Amino acid sequence: MTLQLPPLSLYIHIPWCVQKCPYCDFNSHGQNGELPQQQYVDALLDDLKQDLAYVQGRKVHTIFIGGGTPSLFDASQIQRILEGAQALIPFDDNIEITMEANPGTLEHDDFSAYRAAGVTRLSIGVQSFSKEKLNLLGRIHNEDEAKVAAEKAKQADYLSFNLDLMHGLPNQSFDEAMHDIDTATALAPPHLSWYQLTIEPNTLFHSKPPQLPDDENLWQIYEQGQQRLAALGYEQYEISAYAKPGFQCRHNLNYWQFGDYLGIGCGAHGKITLPDSNRIVRTVKIKHPKGYLSADKYTFETTEVIEDDRPLEYLMNRLRLMTPIPKTEFEQRTGQSADVVKQGMQKSIERGLLTETTTHWHLTQKGHMFVNDLLSQFI
């Protein structure tokens, strides 16, 4: 089989935060003095220039500006990034441009300024509407500021906005978790990311673990939360993502469908398909801001996804989505015949994790609950 070029996205990493949260394992750094905005944007655009060979004639159809807290940068600098990127790579006419932002008053500009700069979609890091839980999570905003942020996103005429919400928080009760969902949905976001707090290595929570809800409470929160969101018209299209019809995050869909993405900025990851040489490569950029800002070459590491690993890598991503898996997509994105996973798929069918048609594999309800068991068939 021949690899085919998938859609292309662009991820832009801005690594600074006001302060590091105790649960966060992302490449983020607490703000210490004035940020080097001009210098960093210059470096981002130089970084993108060095990756232009990976574009291979495609347009960028989604951009995600993540962090850190990108809204610590002035809207004028965000505009410089987007205009500079568009001068280097053509944008799709219907491009989705998402930027992460935190509620509160510490950002440089109002949300309307980022909309005018070219951002079409905002992702607001609320996490909880409980003062106690926000304090435990190290968040610097309060419940009222989170509500105001959502209202400002509506008023600024974004095409869509997302609220990030966590559950399974330290000592969180069922009622507290449902209150968060009810408060969030009352703000009518077109998209909601609702995911469980996990304790990750190299975080403060890992060295000093908080008391989390037990498995029985976690399951009750998850089950009832899903039902509540579904009743309000939010469709679960990915393990932790819920959207009103037509408001799925196209950037994240490209990740889970094993699409391509350039990654620029400190520690940013990229994944690129090279059909001419039958290769798929992953890139990682220099992680620390000091090293990144002083670099001549920004790529720290390039690794190849070998042919034998492609089916598992594809499935690890694609099984996050709730939709059936097209066999043609598997073949185009991995360069492998669907026959290479036939034995593992058959075992999964026998265990009730999958059903199969001539064109698709379909996860069953049991399959969605036991994705790791299904993936184990391909290791």
Side-chain angles (χ1 to χ4, degrees):
M1 305 296 297
T2 303
L3 282 168
Q4 293 191 19
L5 273 181
L8 180 67
S9 295
L10 172 63
Y11 175 74
I12 301 167
H13 192 73
I14 296 178
W16 291 280
C17 290
V18 173
Q19 64 184 31
K20 183 84 170 179
C21 296
Y23 60 86
C24 178
D25 69 334
F26 294 146
N27 183 30
S28 60
H29 303 263
Q31 181 180 359
N32 184 16
E34 188 173 346
L35 295 178
Q37 296 191 42
Q38 178 90 20
Q39 186 184 3
Y40 191 72
V41 173
D42 289 344
L44 284 174
L45 296 175
D46 283 342
D47 187 354
L48 184 57
K49 287 176 187 174
Q50 293 180 13
D51 277 359
L52 289 180
Y54 292 145
V55 175
Q56 302 170 89
R58 290 173 289 183
K59 292 183 178 180
V60 171
H61 81 288
T62 70
I63 296 175
F64 197 100
I65 308 171
T69 305
S71 50
L72 288 175
F73 271 36
D74 298 332
S76 61
Q77 297 296 341
I78 300 299
Q79 185 170 344
R80 276 190 65 219
I81 296 170
L82 296 176
E83 289 180 350
Q86 189 171 17
L88 295 169
I89 310 172
F91 286 5
D92 186 86
D93 291 342
N94 192 33
I95 191 168
E96 172 194 271
I97 302 175
T98 302
M99 186 183 82
E100 290 182 334
N102 283 341
T105 57
L106 292 169
E107 282 75 25
H108 280 287
D109 283 310
D110 194 78
F111 288 165
S112 59
Y114 297 107
R115 179 70 183 99
V119 176
T120 68
R121 183 178 179 275
L122 209 59
S123 183
I124 305 171
V126 172
Q127 314 313 352
S128 177
F129 292 94
S130 159
K131 180 180 178 181
E132 177 203 0
K133 298 297 184 279
L134 288 169
N135 287 337
L136 285 169
L137 293 172
R139 306 299 287 176
I140 59 172
H141 65 271
N142 60 38
E143 177 180 351
D144 289 339
E145 287 172 325
K147 291 177 179 177
V148 168
E151 292 300 332
K152 283 185 174 181
K154 287 187 214 174
Q155 294 165 10
D157 198 31
Y158 284 90
L159 301 184
S160 180
F161 72 94
N162 167 66
L163 298 183
D164 257 356
L165 201 63
M166 300 172 76
H167 63 90
L169 303 178
N171 302 310
Q172 187 178 45
S173 68
F174 171 80
D175 287 342
E176 287 174 327
M178 294 304 103
H179 171 75
D180 275 351
I181 284 183
D182 291 342
T183 306
T185 52
L187 296 167
H191 190 285
L192 191 68
S193 296
W194 186 57
Y195 51 95
Q196 184 181 323
L197 170 65
T198 55
I199 306 300
E200 302 291 349
N202 303 314
T203 64
L204 183 60
F205 274 178
H206 190 262
S207 58
K208 297 180 179 180
Q211 182 65 46
L212 301 181
D214 60 30
D215 287 346
E216 185 176 340
N217 284 333
L218 285 172
W219 177 249
Q220 184 187 23
I221 289 169
Y222 181 67
E223 187 177 46
Q224 294 298 314
Q226 279 192 316
Q227 291 180 15
R228 205 167 286 210
L229 289 168
L232 291 168
Y234 288 93
E235 176 188 284
Q236 184 185 20
Y237 69 94
E238 187 261 339
I239 288 174
S240 58
Y242 303 77
K244 292 292 181 73
F247 288 97
Q248 297 173 337
C249 176
R250 290 192 284 125
H251 186 88
N252 287 343
L253 280 174
N254 194 42
Y255 286 156
W256 309 137
Q257 291 168 339
F258 213 48
D260 278 2
Y261 48 97
L262 302 172
I264 62 171
C266 294
H269 289 241
K271 178 253 171 186
I272 297 296
T273 303
L274 302 168
D276 289 349
S277 55
N278 191 35
R279 297 166 62 223
I280 297 174
V281 297
R282 293 192 180 278
T283 60
V284 184
K285 300 301 171 66
I286 294 169
K287 188 172 182 179
H288 198 278
K290 281 187 179 179
Y292 184 85
L293 287 169
S294 61
D296 293 322
K297 294 185 178 180
Y298 300 95
T299 300
F300 170 72
E301 184 179 43
T302 302
T303 56
E304 187 162 346
V305 183
I306 63 173
E307 287 192 52
D308 287 350
D309 291 344
R310 291 179 198 169
L312 178 60
E313 287 222 16
Y314 169 85
L315 290 169
M316 285 175 67
N317 285 278
R318 192 57 175 75
L319 289 172
R320 291 186 64 96
L321 296 177
M322 301 298 159
T323 50
I325 303 171
K327 294 179 182 179
T328 53
E329 182 185 89
F330 172 88
E331 293 180 338
Q332 291 167 359
R333 303 289 162 92
T334 66
Q336 307 252 330
S337 166
D339 289 340
V340 301
V341 292
K342 187 174 183 178
Q343 186 176 355
M345 291 298 186
Q346 186 57 42
K347 287 181 180 178
S348 300
I349 290 167
E350 291 168 1
R351 297 182 60 189
L353 304 176
L354 279 178
T355 60
E356 183 178 22
T357 66
T358 55
T359 58
H360 289 76
W361 295 293
H362 300 250
L363 258 72
T364 62
Q365 186 174 5
K366 181 181 176 183
H368 284 297
M369 293 171 61
F370 296 100
V371 168
N372 287 341
D373 285 1
L374 197 159
L375 288 171
S376 70
Q377 305 299 322
F378 306 97
I379 295 174

